[in-house]
Amino acid sequence: MASTFPVSPSVGAAQAERLLDRLRPGLVVVDDAACAVATAAFAAGWQVALLNDDMTLDIIAKSRRADVTEYEENIALLLQTSGTTGEPKLVGLTRENLQASFDGVSDALTLSPEDRTLTLMPLTHIHGIVAVLGASLSVDAKVGIIPPRDPEAFWASIAKVQPT
């Protein structure tokens, strides 16, 4: 099993370089081969895969690196803290941590497969990943994602998804 680290699509080139240097990933998965993360990964020699619309992966750059970080086997998700008290830290969440959080949120909200949720939270943030996406999907509820900072998309998504 691999650990994952979601990165905001709005990350800049310098931040992408710092993140990759810090993470030393075995594989960088992108949905846009021209994004800052892909560009930084190509330049640094990391292995890069392109996620296709049909959810398949194509390796578009082979790794020239041997210094890949091996994370603990049970770490499923790495998140970066906000860095309010200094340099942002990487926090590893286990599969058990995540499942307990999904269960807690879905129980508290009494989510069921008939529910439809909608999130404004980025899926690089713990709330977006756990409280909306993970909790909903763990009970087979539907999830809609609203593009950030787009008031028109917000109202269109409310009308389309009709969240419960």
Side-chain angles (χ1 to χ4, degrees), residues 10-12 15 17 22 30 37 58 66 73 82 89 135 144 148 152 154:
S10 63
V11 69
Q15 187 179 12
E17 288 176 30
R22 191 170 176 200
V30 296
V37 173
D58 289 325
E73 186 175 317
S82 63
K89 296 166 189 65
E152 290 178 21
F154 174 82

Side-chain angles (χ1 to χ4, degrees), residues 34-140:
C35 72
V37 173
T39 302
F42 293 140
W46 297 112
Q47 180 166 264
V48 181
L50 181 65
L51 178 65
N52 300 307
D53 290 340
D54 65 356
M55 303 307 286
T56 59
L57 294 175
D58 289 325
I59 301 296
I60 57 176
K62 297 215 184 256
S63 182
R64 302 186 313 268
R65 306 285 297 244
D67 57 340
V68 171
T69 298
E70 293 288 330
Y71 294 97
E72 293 178 37
E73 186 175 317
N74 67 339
I75 298 296
L77 180 66
L78 289 166
L79 290 178
Q80 185 169 258
T81 65
S82 63
T84 54
T85 60
E87 183 70 22
K89 296 166 189 65
L90 293 178
V91 176
L93 300 173
T94 67
R95 287 163 183 73
E96 294 80 14
N97 294 143
L98 290 169
Q99 190 62 58
S101 295
F102 299 159
D103 293 346
V105 171
S106 62
D107 288 349
L109 297 176
T110 60
L111 290 175
S112 73
E114 291 75 38
D115 283 308
R116 295 175 307 280
T117 61
L118 198 55
T119 185
L120 280 167
M121 292 298 295
L123 297 179
T124 55
H125 187 280
I126 190 71
H127 184 80
I129 293 170
V130 170
V132 181
L133 184 66
S136 298
L137 294 179
S138 74
V139 297
D140 293 326

